């Protein structure tokens, strides 16, 4: 299958399926000498993994599937440092309930990639969605953890990537408190809003339905000058990274679509001098101008669709004796209700991969 590699210099190729033996990633381009801490990779995977609890409590938003998601480095690291050779990381599956999907062998789930995979390849892995499953993102998170370690060692403590739920199940954060993110099951940046989100999600779970939301991401400490115009602008690269995440249906940077109602003088970011250096006192551009980072915080928002696996009977079609026929389908198995909290670490991982690749391209762009 083509299309499983992201990046030009800092390249990540993921492999594996939801109900296969294992998932994993091969990362090429990690500069030799980069310190690699397996515990930090595992920490990132633990934030994404299914079955994770918040403050020891069950999270109504996520699937009950429990996976250890233990990462094993197979190559490319010696005595805690990258060798400059491909780093392979494997994550074994251990909690597949493939029988939950036996009724999907011939029927196409509404909202899933079942039909399109069938049309493209002529057959498909119906167990949990195969390669199209959100479980594939654990490999991305492992790769992103490598990118984060490289970026933190290169750019220093001023660099950070922080994503959080801004809106879920129709309820929005009224303030942004980054300290609140890991203190609630929805990973929302507002504890009061998080409680209301959780109540609504629990109501939807009881009804067998699901919810969508908005995830916002801030990337701080990115130097000015990253990005490759014309067709590989940094915002275009970030957009490609984010839209490659299965549930993401839209992206906006800075003021985003709100800029449509602004005047030019309102939307333009004010430039000033501070200590002899130029800086922007506003950030409607989201930290990017002409597809190149301007030194401001890069900020974007993602539209996350509702989980398509709902326990509500829906109309669909199935293959019957080589022909399509109408049918009704009720999903079984273990599924998320709202993807926002588990997508947060995936967004951070893909953002880190995009910035790491852009930084290495920038190093090659000038003397």
């Amino acid at each position: 299958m083509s299309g499983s590699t992201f990046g030009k210099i800092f390249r990540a190729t993921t492999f594996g399926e939801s109900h296969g033996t294992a998932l994993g990633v091969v990362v090429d381009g990690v500069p030799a000498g980069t310190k690699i801490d397996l515990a930090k990779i595992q920490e990132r995977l633990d934030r994404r993994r299914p079955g994770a609890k918040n403050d020891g409590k069950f999270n109504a938003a996520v699937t009950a599937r429990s996976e250890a998601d233990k990462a094993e480095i197979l190559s490319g690291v010696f005595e805690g440092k990258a060798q400059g050779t491909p780093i392979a990381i494997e994550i074994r599956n251990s909690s597949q309930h493939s029988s939950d999907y036996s009724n999907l062998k011939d029927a196409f789930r509404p909202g899933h990639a079942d039909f399109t995979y069938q049309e493209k390849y002529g057959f498909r892995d119906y167990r949990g969605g195969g390669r199209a499953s959100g479980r594939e993102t654990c490999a991305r998170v492992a790769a992103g953890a490598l990118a984060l370690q490289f970026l933190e060692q290169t750019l220093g403590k001023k660099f950070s990537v922080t994503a959080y739920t801004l809106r879920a199940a129709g309820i929005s954060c009224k303030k942004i408190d980054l300290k609140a993110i890991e203190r609630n099951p929805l990973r929302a940046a507002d504890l009061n809003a998080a409680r209301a989100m959780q109540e609504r999600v629990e109501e939807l779970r009881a009804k067998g339905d699901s919810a969508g939301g908005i995830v916002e991401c801030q990337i701080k400490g990115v130097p000015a000058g990253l990005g490759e115009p014309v067709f590989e602008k940094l915002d275009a690269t970030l957009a490609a990274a984010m839209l490659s995440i299965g549930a993401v249906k839209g992206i906006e940077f800075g003021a985003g679509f709100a800029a449509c109602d602004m005047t030019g003088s309102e939307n333009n970011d004010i430039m000033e001098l501070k200590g002899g250096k130029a800086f922007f006192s506003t950030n409607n551009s989201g930290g990017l101008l002409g597809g190149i980072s301007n030194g401001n915080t890069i900020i974007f928002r993602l539209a996350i669709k509702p989980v398509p696996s709902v326990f509500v009977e829906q109309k669909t079609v199935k293959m019957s004796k080589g022909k399509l026929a109408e049918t009704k389908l009720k999903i079984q198995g273990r599924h998320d209700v709202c993807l926002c909290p588990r997508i947060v670490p995936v967004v951070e991982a893909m953002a880190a991969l995009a910035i790491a690749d852009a930084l290495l391209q920038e190093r090659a762009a000038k003397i």
Side-chain angles (χ1 to χ4, degrees):
M1 176 190 286
S2 60
S4 292
T5 299
F6 179 83
K8 288 186 171 294
I9 300 177
F10 198 108
R11 293 164 56 86
T13 302
T14 70
F15 62 86
E17 297 82 35
S18 174
H19 284 233
T21 302
L23 298 102
V25 64
V26 177
V27 182
D28 205 358
V30 181
T34 302
K35 295 178 183 178
I36 304 299
D37 187 338
L38 179 59
K40 289 184 177 180
I41 297 173
Q42 192 61 55
E43 181 181 312
R44 290 279 164 175
L45 285 167
D46 288 346
R47 291 177 65 226
R48 192 223 69 96
R49 73 181 181 86
K53 297 182 179 180
N54 183 275
D55 293 332
K57 300 177 181 177
F58 172 69
N59 185 351
V62 306
T63 175
R65 177 174 175 173
S66 182
E67 290 279 4
D69 278 359
K70 185 177 180 180
E72 181 181 2
I73 296 177
L74 305 180
S75 66
V77 178
F78 180 67
E79 294 184 342
K81 293 182 180 180
Q83 298 186 72
T85 56
I87 298 176
I89 299 175
E90 183 182 74
I91 302 152
R92 289 264 169 172
N93 285 324
S94 62
S95 181
Q96 310 98 309
H97 287 186
S98 297
S99 60
D100 289 342
Y101 298 89
S102 58
N103 66 327
L104 303 177
K105 185 176 181 180
D106 299 311
F108 303 115
R109 294 171 296 174
H112 282 269
D114 296 347
F115 176 73
T116 50
Y117 264 60
Q118 182 74 31
E119 289 294 296
K120 181 172 179 64
Y121 298 106
F123 70 103
R124 62 190 171 88
D125 183 349
Y126 58 84
R127 305 163 305 164
R131 190 78 174 122
S133 170
R135 178 133 183 78
E136 178 268 340
T137 61
C138 70
R140 301 174 184 231
V141 171
L146 291 176
L148 279 169
Q149 291 183 48
F150 161 65
L151 290 167
E152 288 168 354
Q153 291 169 47
T154 303
L155 299 178
K157 294 182 179 180
K158 62 181 180 180
F159 176 80
S160 66
V161 181
T162 308
Y164 45 86
T165 299
L166 185 66
R167 180 177 176 86
I171 299 164
S172 297
C173 293
K174 297 189 181 302
K175 62 180 179 180
I176 303 300
D177 178 7
L178 300 185
K179 294 180 180 180
I181 299 169
E182 295 301 324
R183 294 170 56 197
N184 67 87
L186 272 296
R187 289 204 167 100
D190 179 341
L191 290 178
N192 290 330
R195 283 189 281 270
M197 291 175 188
Q198 181 75 358
E199 289 176 5
R200 178 59 179 153
V201 164
E202 288 173 350
E203 291 173 4
L204 290 169
R205 178 180 284 278
K207 294 178 181 178
D209 219 329
S210 64
I214 297 174
V215 168
E216 186 168 79
C217 183
Q218 298 183 26
I219 312 175
K220 297 182 178 181
V222 177
L226 301 193
E228 302 296 322
V230 169
F231 296 112
E232 294 176 1
K233 295 179 170 71
L234 186 53
D235 39 1
T237 300
L238 283 165
M242 298 307 145
L243 291 171
S244 74
I245 302 170
V248 175
K249 304 302 291 183
I251 184 170
E252 65 174 11
F253 291 86
F257 286 101
C260 299
D261 297 323
M262 295 180 179
T263 62
S265 59
E266 291 172 329
N267 185 58
N268 291 342
D269 290 319
I270 305 302
M271 292 189 71
E272 300 180 39
L273 287 176
K274 188 174 183 180
K277 294 184 178 181
F279 80 101
F280 295 84
S281 57
T282 58
N283 196 18
N284 290 319
S285 69
L288 298 152
L289 288 170
I292 301 172
S293 59
N294 66 9
N296 238 354
T297 297
I298 296 174
I299 186 166
F300 57 83
R301 287 167 293 282
L302 306 172
I304 312 299
K305 75 174 185 178
V307 179
S309 293
V310 293
F311 301 100
V312 177
E313 189 174 76
Q314 295 180 292
K315 287 182 63 177
T316 187
V317 297
K318 67 177 182 178
M319 291 296 297
S320 178
K321 298 179 180 179
K323 295 182 179 180
L324 291 174
E326 292 186 347
T327 188
K328 291 183 179 179
L329 180 67
K330 187 174 182 179
I331 300 295
Q332 300 174 4
R334 301 160 296 173
H335 306 285
D336 296 287
V337 175
C338 179
L339 292 167
C340 291
R342 289 184 65 206
I343 275 185
V344 161
V346 182
V347 169
E348 293 174 347
M350 292 307 298
L353 286 169
I355 299 299
D357 195 41
L359 183 61
L360 290 177
Q361 289 185 63
E362 172 62 16
R363 285 181 173 180
K366 60 187 177 183
I367 296 175

